Amino acid sequence: MNLKIGTTIKKLRTKNKVTQDQLATFLGCTPQAISRWESETSYPDIELLPSIAEFFSVSTDDLLGLNRSERETRLAEIYDFIDRAGETGTDGEDVIREARGFAAEFPSDEKIQSHLACTLCRTYMWDGKAPEHLKELEEAEKIYLALIERTDNPEFRNATLESLAALYVVGFHDKLRAERAIRRLPSMKYCREGVRASLFSYQMGDDPLPAQDYIHRLTETLCAQLTEYVAYVMPNDPEVWDEKIAYFEKVLDLYDLIYGKDLNFHHGSVAYVHRVIATYLVAQGKVEETLDRLELMCDHVMAADEAMPGDPFTSRFTDLLVYPEPSEDFDDLRCANHAFYFLAKMKQDRYDPIREHPRFRALCKRLQDAAKEF
């Protein structure tokens, strides 16, 4: 989309008989900056767009030259780009450049502004890059803080607080500020699922649905946390690898207990656990056991990709639930299927010792045939 902000500013300024000096004084910038905007050699800073719109009594959409239908079409294009970048983990200078352009177009859109901050963090927060890119991380912090204060959506606010806390921990190594951000989140004790399960299931009849929903959410979170704890928090010395594998097996047992064989979208999480187990087995030189585990991973990957919203669970603990439609608190895959992502993991160097094994080549072929981008 070719933005004509400068042309619009010039038209509004001429129509209202305002000089470049007068507009510059109001905005706190130089007349030369106004001239550059109007000649389309540069854009105003994102923070100035609301002030410019206010000065001329127009909306930011009018300032950007967007009508409603164009705006909705453009937003749909940008949201699709954001979803794809987030899901595939695409980052870097090019994505940041795109994100800045989106943010300039829609300075009040929460998802777009959050995308810019998250892209800055993903690009510069990890792998020891933070000290060299303090300015960019401070920019992300500023965006997060502004979003937290102005949003009316409590779930978006909480998600942004979580991102801000991660930035403080990983980017700034500032435990104190991270703790302050975390303390602004609601207590687990008063989450809506817990309160609903406690009150509706036992005080207003025999409806077990709220309790099942709460069990499902607790299990999903607990299994994910246990997996990450065993993989990354426990010592990773070779002498404890068998112990770790035993703990992962207990996580798989928990999935089986709560969801039974009809795991639906949880097949993806179970596939992940099998893949993690395989990383320890291949490091131990246990070729056949590694291949057994990777083949189980493939089975669950295929089952995950076959599952659809509306499919039921059948376990005693979840038989009133179904695979949900995508919503604010449930993100389904949008840009590629599970096979696409797991196939990429098979390219890791750790699998070099078995790369030419017929079984490994067969499971990679199986993933390759099933991998799709949407």
Side-chain angles (χ1 to χ4, degrees), residues 115-220:
H115 168 62
L116 173 55
C118 291
T119 303
L120 288 167
C121 288
R122 288 197 303 264
T123 303
Y124 299 125
M125 196 168 71
W126 303 93
D127 299 329
K129 296 178 181 178
E132 302 172 20
H133 295 279
L134 185 60
K135 180 180 177 182
E136 287 84 357
L137 296 184
E138 287 175 341
E139 178 185 0
E141 178 193 20
K142 182 178 179 180
I143 294 171
Y144 284 144
L145 289 171
L147 289 171
I148 289 164
E149 294 306 320
R150 79 183 190 211
T151 187
D152 294 324
N153 183 331
E155 293 191 2
F156 177 80
R157 177 180 179 273
N158 291 340
T160 306
L161 279 166
E162 181 182 20
S163 298
L164 178 64
L167 171 58
Y168 286 145
V169 170
V170 181
F172 296 127
H173 301 286
D174 191 329
K175 185 176 180 180
L176 179 60
R177 281 196 290 174
E179 184 62 29
R180 287 174 181 166
I182 291 168
R183 286 186 176 276
R184 297 177 67 179
L185 290 164
S187 166
M188 181 179 178
K189 179 179 179 181
Y190 299 108
C191 72
R192 66 186 178 198
E193 291 80 12
V195 172
R196 184 185 295 122
S198 176
L199 296 178
F200 286 14
S201 298
Y202 310 119
Q203 302 299 323
M204 298 184 67
D206 298 323
D207 178 15
L209 180 59
Q212 286 199 7
D213 180 58
Y214 193 37
I215 289 169
H216 148 65
R217 292 173 186 272
L218 289 173
T219 302
E220 187 175 46

Side-chain angles (χ1 to χ4, degrees), residues 34-190:
I34 306 293
S35 177
R36 287 194 295 272
W37 303 343
E38 293 185 355
S39 64
E40 304 287 353
T41 58
S42 68
Y43 291 133
D45 290 338
I46 295 171
E47 293 84 355
L48 289 178
L49 296 183
S51 297
I52 298 170
E54 177 188 357
F55 183 85
F56 291 116
S57 298
V58 298
S59 69
T60 53
D61 285 354
D62 293 332
L63 187 64
L64 295 166
L66 299 173
N67 63 36
R68 184 172 295 275
S69 61
E70 289 175 339
R71 182 180 188 277
E72 291 175 354
T73 299
R74 180 57 175 160
L75 278 173
E77 293 173 355
I78 294 174
Y79 286 173
D80 181 68
F81 179 93
I82 290 173
D83 291 340
R84 183 173 293 276
E87 196 173 298
T88 58
T90 306
D91 299 309
E93 298 292 341
D94 290 341
V95 181
I96 291 174
R97 196 158 33 249
E98 292 274 10
R100 290 194 192 283
F102 300 154
E105 288 182 56
F106 297 97
S108 62
D109 187 275
E110 293 177 346
K111 181 171 181 175
I112 291 173
Q113 296 297 320
S114 178
H115 168 62
L116 173 55
C118 291
T119 303
L120 288 167
C121 288
R122 288 197 303 264
T123 303
Y124 299 125
M125 196 168 71
W126 303 93
D127 299 329
K129 296 178 181 178
E132 302 172 20
H133 295 279
L134 185 60
K135 180 180 177 182
E136 287 84 357
L137 296 184
E138 287 175 341
E139 178 185 0
E141 178 193 20
K142 182 178 179 180
I143 294 171
Y144 284 144
L145 289 171
L147 289 171
I148 289 164
E149 294 306 320
R150 79 183 190 211
T151 187
D152 294 324
N153 183 331
E155 293 191 2
F156 177 80
R157 177 180 179 273
N158 291 340
T160 306
L161 279 166
E162 181 182 20
S163 298
L164 178 64
L167 171 58
Y168 286 145
V169 170
V170 181
F172 296 127
H173 301 286
D174 191 329
K175 185 176 180 180
L176 179 60
R177 281 196 290 174
E179 184 62 29
R180 287 174 181 166
I182 291 168
R183 286 186 176 276
R184 297 177 67 179
L185 290 164
S187 166
M188 181 179 178
K189 179 179 179 181
Y190 299 108

